[in-house]
Amino acid sequence: MTTHAQKSTESTESTESAESTQSAAYGDSLAGIYDLLYPPSPEAGLVADFVHGLRPAPATLLELGVGTGRLAVPLAERGFRVHGVDSSAEMLRKLAENDITSTITSSVGDFAVSTVGRRFDVVLLALNTLFMLPSQEQQIAALRNIREQLADDGVAVLEMYDPMVFHGLDEPTVRVHHLAADSLVIDTVQVSRSQQTALVVHTVLGPGTVRKVPEVSRYAWPSEFALMARLAGLRITGRFSDWTRTPVTEGAQRHICVLEREA
């Protein structure tokens, strides 16, 4: 006989499995053009400086949602001992290609629930990756998972967009990214204010090809994020609007939060 609790557990596991599969599909779909969407920039060096100021190399660093190594590769070159986790095997294959020194270790996994099996001096979650989890409960679970993988004196660094970037949109918007002479990406953005979600559909146009990749982002307000962090056993020790430690003011389009384990 199946109990209500068992059904609830099975339903939750099924939902988490489906969402993990969707996340992997998203990463696999964009792996080939990800480095064109987010090309190397001086910001990667600023991130390395920011992290180095918190815990100097050769500190151990876990990057969740590592992608193709936009940040992981410069951090490893700086001397950090980096392990990256991503739900997409294709992303990790591109990471291995970009890591010409072969110093970065990696594993496929859902960063909201899976663990590496050891603890790190720094856990990094950049580029709004936390908001890719579609519910508040999953975001809290991810924060708990971050706490469990932090060393006692470790720090977590999370980069998130300010919700007003999307919440203030009154109607669907379109953005175009030119990737190369013969390809581009058209992003359509539609917001549900009541659900705190932004649906972004990436339409990738190439020579004779068209494909669509949907992305759902569930944003959290700064005060909400602070409460979620406390529920997960973390406390915010710093909040900045960029990687040069500019204080957050009205109109800042992103928040970079530094967190530590609660005693």
Side-chain angles (χ1 to χ4, degrees), residues 34 63-70 85-86 88 91-92 94-95:
Y34 199 78
E63 185 178 358
L64 303 176
V66 67
T68 62
R70 179 182 68 94
V85 173
D86 204 282
S88 167
M91 285 283 195
L92 295 183
K94 291 294 292 183
L95 167 64

Side-chain angles (χ1 to χ4, degrees), residues 30-196:
L30 292 183
I33 62 170
Y34 199 78
D35 290 344
L36 296 174
L37 282 170
Y38 302 101
S41 74
E43 184 171 80
L46 296 178
V47 176
D49 290 341
F50 184 96
V51 174
H52 186 81
L54 295 170
R55 297 294 184 273
T60 56
L61 185 146
L62 171 65
E63 185 178 358
L64 303 176
V66 67
T68 62
R70 179 182 68 94
L71 299 179
V73 170
L75 285 164
E77 291 173 347
R78 184 71 175 264
F80 289 96
R81 292 170 286 167
V82 179
H83 183 90
V85 173
D86 204 282
S87 62
S88 167
E90 286 299 319
M91 285 283 195
L92 295 183
R93 274 191 275 273
K94 291 294 292 183
L95 167 64
E97 292 176 10
N98 292 337
D99 178 26
I100 59 175
T101 60
S102 299
T103 57
I104 300 172
T105 58
S106 65
S107 54
V108 176
D110 178 352
F111 71 83
V113 294
S114 61
T115 60
V116 176
R118 62 183 190 273
R119 296 162 74 186
F120 294 82
D121 301 316
V122 182
V123 176
L124 175 64
L125 198 61
L127 203 61
N128 318 312
T129 302
L130 180 70
F131 290 171
M132 294 290 286
L133 297 173
S135 71
Q136 185 185 69
E137 290 76 14
Q138 284 178 287
Q139 291 174 1
I140 294 172
L143 291 168
R144 288 196 178 109
N145 201 18
I146 287 172
R147 183 188 186 280
E148 291 306 308
Q149 297 185 88
L150 269 181
D152 289 340
D153 60 347
V155 293
V157 180
L158 280 78
E159 178 189 18
M160 298 159 286
Y161 61 78
D162 186 278
M164 285 305 296
V165 170
F166 286 136
H167 194 77
L169 297 178
D170 295 321
E171 58 186 23
T173 62
V174 177
R175 303 170 182 174
V176 179
H177 307 276
H178 293 276
L179 301 181
D182 58 354
S183 60
L184 55 82
V185 174
I186 301 174
D187 290 342
T188 57
V189 184
Q190 188 167 353
V191 174
S192 170
R193 291 176 176 171
S194 63
Q195 298 296 318
Q196 294 179 207

Side-chain angles (χ1 to χ4, degrees), residues 23 26 64 154 183 258:
S23 179
Y26 165 82
L64 303 176
S183 60
V258 179

Side-chain angles (χ1 to χ4, degrees), residues 194-225:
S194 63
Q195 298 296 318
Q196 294 179 207
T197 58
L199 170 62
V200 182
V201 178
H202 306 282
T203 303
V204 184
L205 305 176
T209 62
V210 178
R211 56 192 170 93
K212 292 185 177 181
V213 184
E215 170 190 333
V216 178
S217 180
R218 189 266 172 191
Y219 52 83
W221 299 98
S223 58
E224 178 188 3
F225 172 75

